[in-house]
Amino acid sequence: MSATEVPTTVGKMTVTNQHLLDWVAETAKRTQPDKIVWCDGSDVEREVLTQYAVETGVLIPLNQEKRPGCYLHRSNPNDVARVEHLTFICTPTKEEAGPTNNWMAPADGYAKLGAMFEGSMKGRTMYVIPYSMGPVGSPLAKIGVEITDSVYVVLNMRIMTRMGQAALTTLGASNDFNRGLHSTLDVNPDRRFICHFPQDNTIWSVGSGYGGNVLLGKKCLALRIGSYLGKSEGWLAEHMLILGVESPEGETTYVAAAFPSACGKTNFAMMIPPKRFDGWKVWTVGDDIAWMRVGPDGRLWAINPEAGYFGVAPGTSMKSNPNAMLSIRENTLFTNVALTPDGDVWWEGMDGDVPEELTDWQGRPWKKGSSEKAAHPNARFTAPMANNPALSKAANDPSGVPISAIVFGGRRATTVPLVMQSFNWTHGVYLGATMGSETTAAATGAVGVVRRDPMAMLPFCGYDMGQYFNHWLAMQSHIKNPPKIFQVNWFRQDTNGKFLWPGFGENMRVLKWVIDRAHGRVGAQETPLGWVPKAGHLDLSGLDVAHERVDAANAINLDEWRREFELQQELYDKLDATMPEALKLQRALLQTRIG
Ligand code: GTP
Ligand code: SPV
Ligand code: MN
């Protein structure tokens, strides 16, 4: 890493915050870097660091005519996704972390990782990245500082957060900032840990260079620490996209939706409505995380704390998600995608013919017809949200947007119907809490196994899950005008394993029913599970799919639900100590309804 000189400070950074200066000095003493670079977020800094990353082989320049400002990064093949088994919540007691999290005592976490940080940046540069999660100065925003020895992390954080001098200025002399410390070490899975210390607003991460393990503003601060802060401060930090649906009359309705990792948030947030919905427009506020607070009007207001998209590349095409394809035309970093002979990117599911020859995600020659994938299934793009043609004007609004509907959706081949609405807030919390989903490549481990993923937060809740449900239930009394709560499933399959519902842009049909329900403009049919669209209410005109398939996607089969009911018992057993009484009652009510 020391092949090229990196200036000690590339921009003009004024640092007067003594708490920050002390922490950086203390960290430098421990990690012993060759140099310290304070990142100011300037364009000059981007150029210098990008150049350095290219010279040291961290980034490969793509064809600059086709993809201006775009680069490819190949991570270590042992380091391609989040590692849930190596992710820890370090609260004073194990009970505070709860049975769904790995726990380590704070002293043990600091000692164990502290030893690994000892001298870990020798011969390396230490970067100090001040950043704001949320529009700078928003009452909902939080300041973090990440110290890292990875230039790849710096360049990603530049896209994913509002970083640099502005964040530092907002922090002022305050000690109220998240301390995130990351060292790549030698990328050895045996020395890979992501530890969260919620009481100290601190994150320590070692041994990885990938995504959610190391871009500490994202899953670590915005969700794990964020959910803990939300509980104590009375707000919600959620794994949710935020979108605005604008009608031809110019009315915009905001919806937040929680789907587990690699289950469709980015796609839904950037959706382009089909022809039938001419004049309708979907605007993206955020594609992964929502921070929500009760506003003075008694509604729930949400901001997207991020400034970019760390999106799944495979499956992204002009057909499935044109706005994502347009977002990655320039100034985008690609991780673990395949490389074409003319220096462009490729992945499975992209438009056009499969190229004859490629360089695969590990840098090996690849030929069409190969049984191996050219791009890693969890290959990602990091794109500035400003690139998105559908970016909502409200994406930078410090007050956020008012949420009219909350949607929970899992990836389920069977059982769960296309759409239903909860009977009320408590029932909606129950639907979110008991949600199951098939695992994906976004985390290491088996793929396609159904597990309970409450509110898509299983890997991201920074405290006891039962207490988290309690917090959701308690929020009701503070929200005078609560959003309506829905459940969806885009992934139900026929007996041949084909998706029954076309999904993507066609999800607008479901979204239209959701917002009509949220505004109380359309009736619904009561079922034992919740409210579903009345016959004819789901607008299917112009949809090129046999109606029997849509009916099958909507079907409620009580035998399947009796099995689902049994599967949910596992969650209740696991969370027995803190599962709210209200959710136990919901379960009892469901049992009487399905018999
Ligand atoms: P994370 O970034 O990991 O949080 O993922 P995400 O929730 O943003 O998921 P994303 O939108 O990137 O989609 C993940 C995968 O689901 C991709 O392979 C998509 O092609 C696929 N997908 C998204 N929406 C739909 C849909 O409506 N129907 C079907 N069948 N697949 C979808
Ligand atoms: C997810 O897994 O939900 C992601 C990708 O958004 S990562 O940043 O790696 O967590
Ligand atoms: Mn995500």
Side-chain angles (χ1 to χ4, degrees), residues 192-271:
R192 181 172 298 156
F193 294 97
I194 297 93
C195 287
H196 305 72
F197 305 87
Q199 278 82 358
D200 303 341
N201 198 5
T202 291
I203 305 153
W204 280 12
S205 166
V206 291
S208 170
Y210 194 85
N213 299 333
V214 298
L215 308 177
L216 299 184
K218 195 175 178 62
K219 295 304 163 56
C220 300
L221 170 51
L223 290 181
R224 298 197 190 95
I225 300 281
S227 59
Y228 173 88
L229 293 174
K231 162 92 171 156
S232 42
E233 298 170 2
W235 52 281
L236 295 167
E238 301 300 328
H239 193 199
M240 290 180 181
L241 68 95
I242 309 165
L243 60 77
V245 196
E246 187 180 341
S247 73
E249 294 75 38
E251 175 197 63
T252 303
T253 307
Y254 292 96
V255 175
F259 307 153
S261 301
C263 290
K265 287 181 300 301
T266 302
N267 278 272
F268 197 47
M270 297 184 179
M271 176 222 297

Side-chain angles (χ1 to χ4, degrees), residues 367-580:
K367 277 198 170 37
K368 184 173 171 178
S370 162
S371 59
E372 290 196 36
K373 293 203 186 308
H376 188 276
N378 193 36
R380 299 252 168 185
F381 54 78
T382 317
M385 71 176 184
N387 283 3
N388 179 2
L391 183 68
S392 166
K393 282 197 289 288
N396 286 303
D397 190 332
S399 37
V401 296
I403 300 296
S404 298
I406 287 176
V407 179
F408 293 110
R411 179 184 284 266
R412 292 298 299 271
T414 67
T415 317
V416 181
L418 184 61
V419 60
M420 56 188 185
Q421 183 187 354
S422 69
F423 295 123
N424 51 49
W425 181 267
T426 316
H427 181 237
V429 172
Y430 170 80
L431 288 183
T434 53
M435 187 166 84
S437 193
E438 292 149 23
T439 50
T440 66
T444 53
V447 167
V449 182
V450 175
R451 67 173 186 184
R452 292 304 118 190
D453 190 347
M455 295 172 171
M457 283 288 278
L458 181 69
F460 308 120
C461 187
Y463 62 101
D464 174 69
M465 192 61 88
Q467 297 291 357
Y468 166 77
F469 298 157
N470 250 316
H471 179 44
W472 262 86
L473 293 167
M475 284 298 286
Q476 183 180 17
S477 63
H478 304 286
I479 316 173
K480 211 168 76 215
N481 300 302
K484 303 288 186 288
I485 302 182
F486 299 80
Q487 181 166 54
V488 301
N489 177 22
W490 312 143
F491 298 94
R492 206 162 179 184
Q493 296 176 7
D494 63 17
T495 45
N496 298 318
K498 292 256 176 323
F499 292 120
L500 287 162
W501 177 250
F504 302 99
E506 304 295 352
N507 292 334
M508 178 67 203
R509 299 168 189 277
V510 174
L511 185 55
K512 172 69 166 45
W513 186 76
V514 164
I515 62 172
D516 281 345
R517 284 296 294 167
H519 291 304
R521 287 178 189 147
V522 65
Q525 175 72 46
E526 186 178 338
T527 74
L529 304 178
W531 298 99
V532 302
K534 282 189 176 164
H537 278 184
L538 201 59
D539 189 333
L540 300 176
S541 47
L543 179 68
D544 191 17
V545 172
H547 280 216
E548 305 80 72
R549 291 184 76 78
V550 178
D551 290 345
N554 277 304
I556 292 175
N557 175 333
L558 288 189
D559 281 336
E560 284 183 338
W561 274 93
R562 285 180 201 110
R563 279 198 293 278
E564 182 73 6
F565 185 84
E566 291 313 318
L567 290 178
Q568 294 179 1
Q569 183 64 44
E570 194 192 334
L571 181 81
Y572 276 75
D573 288 345
K574 195 163 199 178
L575 297 178
D576 190 47
T578 53
M579 183 61 100

Side-chain angles (χ1 to χ4, degrees), residues 236-349:
L236 295 167
E238 301 300 328
H239 193 199
M240 290 180 181
L241 68 95
I242 309 165
L243 60 77
V245 196
E246 187 180 341
S247 73
E249 294 75 38
E251 175 197 63
T252 303
T253 307
Y254 292 96
V255 175
F259 307 153
S261 301
C263 290
K265 287 181 300 301
T266 302
N267 278 272
F268 197 47
M270 297 184 179
M271 176 222 297
I272 295 188
K275 260 207 179 56
R276 168 73 185 92
F277 289 86
D278 245 7
W280 289 80
K281 182 88 188 130
V282 171
W283 300 102
T284 317
V285 179
D287 83 321
D288 199 48
I289 297 171
W291 281 358
M292 304 192 282
R293 237 179 235 274
V294 184
D297 59 357
R299 289 192 290 178
L300 202 52
W301 287 72
I303 61 162
N304 166 19
E306 302 189 282
Y309 310 122
F310 187 63
V312 178
T316 308
S317 68
M318 283 308 282
K319 191 158 167 281
S320 65
N321 191 349
N323 284 322
M325 291 304 284
L326 299 174
S327 300
I328 61 178
R329 282 185 305 186
E330 56 184 17
N331 301 328
T332 297
L333 302 175
F334 294 89
T335 303
N336 296 339
V337 301
L339 182 64
T340 66
D342 65 344
D344 202 357
V345 291
W346 193 85
W347 47 76
E348 281 71 19

